């Protein structure tokens, strides 16, 4: 903990130093050290457990007492139940019911203890949880009694079920975990003694049932030997860990006649062979010895528990005193820390907030404004509108100077990026326009060759070349669209929607898988035909790519109040909801072109074309498991069908071969 001279030294540092590093150290080190020392001490000694230790007598009276009474009653009922199942005629119904009544009274007493406020306050959360669970578990006792009365259960199963309930009852003490090593060690020793006595009670119940039946079966003999070995081992190990006074009492009992007589009977039973001729031990002798030992053990455990409670209270009182002393000193340190921190931090916080406000104003207001002006081609002064501040803290001044330099660099980089984007856009447009001219000439040449060729194989090859050239032209148009220019093809007359859909299908690679259903008898205005073909072709190609090659892609449409809806449905595996939401967001609000996201260029082109004509493109899950793309073409570009011409002629015109009489023009 910091001394008063140390505090004065830190106060002097505040006066002499204008360094933000020194101010932060002064601001934080005093409260941090005080809090670390205070709370480290509190965590070490475990305040909550110490407070519970002060209520050790309450815990002993209102938790341990009712629990021990319940365990004892259950043990007695277990022994009588096994004797009853063994056919002991000496087990009178009145005595049996009296024992069950005693057990019910102990059960009711435990339930009251589990709901008692003082008992719960004196217990750990884990102990309270175990008590609540046991209250529910004790309901099973009524069903177990009915099975015993109806002899619907054998002695082994009855022993197992009664033992399970008793184990859960004794398990309440397992939730007691003091932090003090000495108290924890004594608590563990007492629990071991209780488990040893429970093993003795188990062997007593097991042997009582066997004596009532007149014989001890081989499995019961093995179980009896295990119980004897467990309780002897637990007593031997536990007595060593007891305090000297308690250990002397237990050692005196160990040398007493009651325990010596009981162990002699245990040895006789353990060493005897399993036969049908009865047991080598008299029933009266066994009950006399076992009951005397059990009663004596209960008294010894109660005495040891009382001594442990006294020691726990003494320890807890000392811990509380230490905590009070440390808490008072820690409170003084915290008050001093707050006073110093307030005086030092007021100016630092004020300048930091001013600095943060300047950065926030630039990023929120100025930077978008500068970016927009640069896009419009205006001249921008990086320092125009920049505020001036007189910071007194040197580090804050240096941070602000660095921010000014960063602001200039950001504006310069934005100008350079805008120029690079414009230049790249021009490159895209020039390359695409050149390719368009060549591809239009190639398509006309192929069209003429197709008309002159009669050989079916050669004609098929020409058709494949025609199809490849059409797809190449679509990719070239994509570059033009990315550069922000129109595609280049226009029509003077409206074109039927079905021919627009067919032309879009003709511009993809796997066109044979696409099925175009009959579309409504409407047409699209000529200025929107080329872009609509391109938009549909991109969506149809995505559908063919992301669905199995053996499954079709369906194109259908219908007229609606707001225009024309065209649906493109594939039968693929579909996409996740998160990805679907992201794609729909991109389609609804096209972002800036990302040159590093080349895999999404088709989606970007679709979004640009939809935005250009006011169309709306939405992706959703298909009922068949794939994905459906829904294109809503606005009514402004939907019109009636003009004078019809042969569909093949219209589609050929749309695909760029321009047969005689076509009104399509290419830029």
């Amino acid at each position: 903990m910091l001394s008063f001279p140390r505090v004065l030294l830190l106060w002097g540092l505040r006066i002499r130093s204008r360094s933000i590093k020194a101010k932060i150290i002064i601001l934080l080190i005093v409260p941090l050290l005080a809090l670390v020392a205070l709370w480290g001490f509190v965590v070490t000694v475990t305040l909550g457990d110490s407070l519970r230790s002060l209520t050790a007598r309450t815990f002993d009276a209102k938790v341990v007492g009712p629990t021990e009474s319940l365990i004892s009653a259950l043990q007695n009922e277990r022994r009588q139940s096994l004797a009853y199942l063994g056919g002991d005629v000496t087990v009178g119904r009145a005595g049996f019911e009296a024992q069950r009544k005693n057990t019910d009274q102990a059960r009711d007493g435990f339930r009251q203890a589990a709901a008692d406020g003082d008992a719960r306050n004196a217990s750990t959360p884990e102990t309270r949880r175990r008590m609540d669970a046991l209250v529910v578990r004790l309901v099973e006792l009524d069903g177990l009694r009915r099975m015993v009365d109806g002899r619907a259960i054998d002695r082994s199963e009855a022993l197992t079920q009664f033992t399970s309930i008793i184990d859960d009852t004794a398990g309440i003490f397992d939730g007691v975990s003091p932090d003090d090593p000495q108290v924890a060690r004594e608590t563990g020793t007492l629990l071991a003694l209780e488990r040893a006595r429970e093993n003795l009670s188990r062997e007593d119940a097991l042997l009582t049932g066997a004596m009532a039946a007149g014989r001890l079966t081989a499995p019961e003999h093995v179980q009896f030997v295990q119980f004897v070995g467990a309780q002897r081992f637990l007593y031997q190990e536990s007595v060593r860990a007891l305090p000297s006074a308690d250990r002397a009492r237990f050692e005196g009992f160990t040398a007493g006649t009651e325990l010596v007589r009981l162990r002699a009977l245990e040895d006789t039973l353990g060493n005897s062979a399993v036969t049908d001729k009865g047991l080598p031990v008299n029933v009266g002798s066994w009950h006399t010895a076992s009951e005397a030992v059990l009663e004596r053990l209960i008294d010894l455990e109660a005495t040891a528990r009382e001594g442990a409670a006294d020691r726990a209270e003494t320890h807890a009182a000392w811990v509380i005193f230490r905590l009070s002393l440390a808490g008072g000193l820690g409170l003084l340190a915290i008050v001093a820390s707050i006073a110093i921190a307030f005086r030092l931090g007021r100016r630092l916080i004020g300048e930091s907030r001013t600095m943060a406000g300047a950065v926030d104003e630039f990023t929120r207001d100025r930077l978008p404004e500068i970016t927009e002006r640069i896009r419009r081609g205006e001249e921008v002064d990086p320092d125009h509108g920049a505020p001036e501040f007189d910071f007194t803290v040197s580090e804050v001044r240096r941070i602000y100077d660095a921010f000014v330099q960063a602001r200039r660099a950001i504006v310069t980089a934005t100008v350079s990026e805008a120029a690079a984007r414009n230049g790249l856009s021009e490159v895209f447009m020039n390359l695409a326009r050149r390719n368009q001219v060549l591809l239009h000439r190639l398509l006309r040449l192929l069209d003429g060759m197709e008309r002159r060729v009669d050989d079916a194989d050669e004609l098929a090859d020409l058709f494949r070349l025609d199809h490849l050239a059409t797809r190449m032209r679509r990719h070239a148009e994509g570059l033009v669209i990315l550069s922000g220019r129109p595609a280049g093809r226009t029509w003077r007359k409206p074109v039927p929607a079905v021919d627009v859909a067919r032309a879009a299908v003709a511009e993809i690679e796997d066109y044979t898988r696409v099925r175009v259903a009959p579309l409504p008898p409407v047409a699209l205005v000529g200025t929107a035909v080329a872009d609509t073909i391109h938009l549909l072709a991109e969506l149809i190609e995505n559908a063919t790519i992301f669905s199995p090659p053996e499954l079709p892609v369906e194109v259908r449409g219908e007229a609606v109040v707001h225009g024309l809806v065209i649906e493109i449905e594939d039968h693929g595996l579909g996409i996740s909801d998160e990805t679907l939401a992201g794609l729909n967001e991109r389609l609804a609000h096209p972002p800036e072109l990302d040159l590093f996201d080349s895999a999404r260029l088709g989606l970007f082109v679709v979004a640009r074309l939809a935005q250009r004509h006011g169309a709306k493109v939405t992706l959703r899950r298909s009922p068949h498991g794939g994905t459906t793309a829904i294109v809503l073409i606005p009514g402004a570009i939907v019109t009636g069908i003009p004078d019809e011409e042969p569909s093949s002629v219209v589609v050929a015109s749309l695909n760029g071969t321009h047969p005689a009489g076509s009104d399509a023009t290419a830029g």
Side-chain angles (χ1 to χ4, degrees):
M1 187 170 55
L2 295 178
S3 62
F4 186 70
R6 177 62 174 167
V7 175
L8 291 179
L9 176 61
L10 295 177
W11 183 267
L13 288 175
R14 183 196 70 83
I15 298 175
R16 295 195 302 270
S17 175
R18 298 174 62 87
S19 169
I20 190 173
K21 180 179 179 180
K23 291 180 180 293
I24 291 177
I25 291 176
I26 297 172
L27 182 66
L28 296 180
I29 193 169
V30 175
L32 281 179
L33 288 179
L35 290 175
V36 167
L38 176 62
W39 291 108
F41 187 76
V42 169
V43 170
T44 302
V45 298
T46 314
L47 176 62
D49 191 72
S50 299
L51 292 175
R52 284 190 298 271
S53 297
L54 284 176
T55 59
R57 293 194 179 278
T58 302
F59 182 81
D60 185 72
K62 295 195 173 184
V63 178
V64 176
T67 304
E68 288 289 353
S69 297
L70 178 60
I71 292 174
S72 179
L74 288 171
Q75 289 173 342
N76 291 333
E77 183 173 343
R78 175 177 59 186
R79 183 175 66 174
Q80 289 200 14
S81 297
L82 264 66
Y84 176 78
L85 292 174
D88 190 350
V89 295
T90 63
V91 179
R93 194 66 196 180
F96 202 1
E97 294 298 333
Q99 178 54 50
R100 287 182 173 180
K101 185 176 180 180
N102 291 337
T103 304
D104 290 338
Q105 291 176 350
R107 179 169 59 175
D108 294 339
F110 178 82
R111 287 172 176 168
Q112 293 175 2
D116 185 84
D118 294 337
R120 298 184 73 85
N121 291 334
S123 305
T124 63
E126 177 63 18
T127 301
R128 293 194 292 269
R129 186 191 67 79
R130 291 172 182 256
M131 292 175 69
D132 294 338
L134 181 60
V135 169
V136 178
R137 177 76 192 277
L138 289 175
V139 178
E140 301 177 8
L141 185 60
D142 298 326
L144 179 57
R145 288 171 174 175
R146 287 192 293 270
M147 288 191 292
V148 171
D149 291 341
R151 298 186 185 274
I153 187 173
D154 59 14
R155 298 199 311 276
S156 176
E157 182 62 23
L159 176 64
T160 300
Q161 293 199 27
F162 271 106
T163 300
S164 176
I165 297 176
I166 294 172
D167 286 343
D168 284 351
T169 307
I172 289 174
F173 302 132
D174 294 338
V176 180
S177 54
D179 286 343
D180 181 74
Q182 179 62 32
V183 177
R185 188 161 47 249
E186 292 188 16
T187 302
T189 302
L190 291 175
L191 293 178
L193 289 173
E194 193 279 331
R195 286 194 293 270
R197 181 165 56 84
E198 164 60 12
N199 275 277
L200 178 57
S201 177
R202 291 177 189 176
E203 67 178 77
D204 179 42
L206 174 67
L207 197 58
T208 299
M211 289 177 176
R215 62 185 298 269
L216 186 68
T217 65
E220 289 176 332
H221 184 268
V222 172
Q223 202 171 19
F224 175 81
V225 173
Q226 291 173 344
F227 290 155
V228 171
Q231 60 97 353
R232 290 187 180 183
F233 172 78
L234 287 172
Y235 274 124
Q236 182 179 2
E237 294 297 319
S238 302
V239 169
R240 295 177 184 173
L242 286 172
S244 57
D246 294 329
R247 184 170 64 251
R249 282 191 289 269
F250 267 91
E251 288 175 348
F253 166 70
T254 303
T257 57
E258 298 100 333
L259 186 60
V260 171
R261 185 185 307 115
L262 178 67
R263 289 191 173 178
L265 295 174
E266 290 175 342
D267 293 339
T268 301
L269 287 167
N271 296 327
S272 64
V274 178
T275 64
D276 295 331
K277 298 180 180 179
L279 298 173
V281 173
N282 180 267
V283 176
S285 299
W286 172 261
H287 283 167
T288 300
S290 63
E291 289 175 1
V293 169
L294 286 171
E295 290 177 1
R296 181 60 176 155
L297 286 174
I298 291 174
D299 293 338
L300 290 173
E301 289 177 21
T303 303
R305 190 166 58 247
E306 183 72 17
D310 292 339
R311 289 186 290 273
E313 285 186 349
T314 302
H315 169 75
W318 170 240
V319 169
I320 294 299
F321 172 75
R322 288 186 297 168
L323 289 177
S324 301
L325 180 62
L329 296 176
L331 180 61
L332 292 177
I334 292 174
V335 171
S337 301
I338 293 175
I340 295 173
F342 177 77
R343 293 180 62 89
L344 295 177
R346 183 169 55 183
R347 178 175 294 275
L348 179 59
I349 291 174
E351 295 189 359
S352 299
R353 287 178 176 175
T354 302
M355 176 66 197
V359 175
D360 184 64
E361 188 272 338
F362 174 74
T363 56
R364 187 185 66 250
D365 301 327
R366 290 284 298 156
L367 186 57
E369 177 188 346
I370 292 172
T371 304
E372 186 61 30
R373 291 177 58 191
I374 290 173
R375 288 176 181 172
R376 295 197 300 264
E378 301 178 11
E379 292 290 335
V380 176
D381 181 8
D383 296 326
H384 176 70
E388 285 293 334
F389 301 104
D390 184 21
F391 293 115
T392 59
V393 180
S394 59
E395 277 76 5
V396 175
R397 162 56 62 183
R398 290 171 58 188
I399 292 173
Y400 182 72
D401 293 340
F403 165 67
V404 171
Q405 297 297 325
R407 181 177 60 199
R408 292 172 182 165
I410 290 172
V411 174
T412 303
T414 304
V415 173
S416 300
E417 182 183 0
R421 285 180 177 272
N422 291 334
L424 186 60
S425 177
E426 290 298 324
V427 171
F428 281 172
M429 191 271 294
N430 289 331
L431 291 175
R433 291 299 190 198
R434 293 179 184 181
N435 286 336
Q436 278 186 305
V437 172
L438 295 176
L439 288 169
H440 280 301
R441 291 172 59 186
L442 177 60
L443 287 169
R444 291 192 185 94
L445 179 61
L446 290 172
D447 182 62
M449 294 174 66
E450 290 167 2
R451 295 175 184 277
R452 294 192 301 271
V453 171
D454 296 329
D455 184 84
D457 293 335
E458 292 183 5
L459 186 60
D461 291 338
L462 289 174
F463 283 156
R464 283 193 289 271
L465 288 175
D466 190 311
H467 183 63
L468 288 173
T470 301
R471 291 167 53 209
M472 293 170 64
R473 185 199 52 208
R474 177 167 63 86
H475 296 319
E477 286 182 355
L479 293 177
V480 175
I481 294 168
L482 292 176
S483 65
R485 306 298 198 282
R489 291 182 293 164
T490 60
W491 275 261
R492 290 188 296 274
K493 297 180 181 180
V495 177
V498 65
D499 293 329
V500 173
R502 291 173 180 169
V505 173
E507 292 196 358
I508 71 169
E509 179 179 4
D510 205 0
Y511 62 90
T512 57
R513 291 172 50 201
V514 184
R515 300 175 182 173
V516 181
L519 268 66
V522 296
L524 304 183
V525 296
T527 55
V529 169
D531 288 344
T532 305
I533 291 174
H534 198 124
L535 184 151
L536 295 176
E538 292 287 354
L539 294 174
I540 294 172
E541 186 169 60
N542 277 345
T544 59
I545 291 174
F546 294 104
S547 62
E550 69 276 5
L551 297 179
V553 173
E554 299 179 1
V555 180
R556 54 184 176 270
E558 62 176 332
V560 295
V561 175
H562 300 290
L564 175 65
V565 170
I566 297 179
E567 295 184 359
I568 302 162
E569 181 180 11
D570 64 55
H571 295 75
L573 297 177
I575 53 181
S576 65
D577 293 337
E578 182 179 354
T579 304
L580 195 66
L583 295 177
N584 281 325
E585 177 63 22
R586 281 173 171 257
L587 290 170
H589 305 93
E592 290 295 322
L593 175 60
D594 187 358
L595 300 178
F596 298 99
D597 193 8
S598 59
R600 305 272 185 175
L601 289 181
L603 183 66
F604 184 82
V605 170
V606 169
R608 277 281 182 91
L609 293 175
Q611 187 181 52
R612 179 181 297 173
H613 294 285
K616 183 178 180 181
V617 181
T618 307
L619 303 179
R620 71 179 185 186
R621 291 184 177 276
S622 168
H624 305 291
T627 304
T628 300
I630 303 173
V631 183
L632 174 60
I633 301 174
I637 60 176
V638 179
T639 184
I641 297 180
D643 296 336
E644 293 187 358
E645 56 182 323
S647 179
S648 61
V649 174
V650 176
V651 174
S653 173
L654 295 175
N655 286 338
T657 53
H658 305 295
S662 170
D663 67 344
T665 61

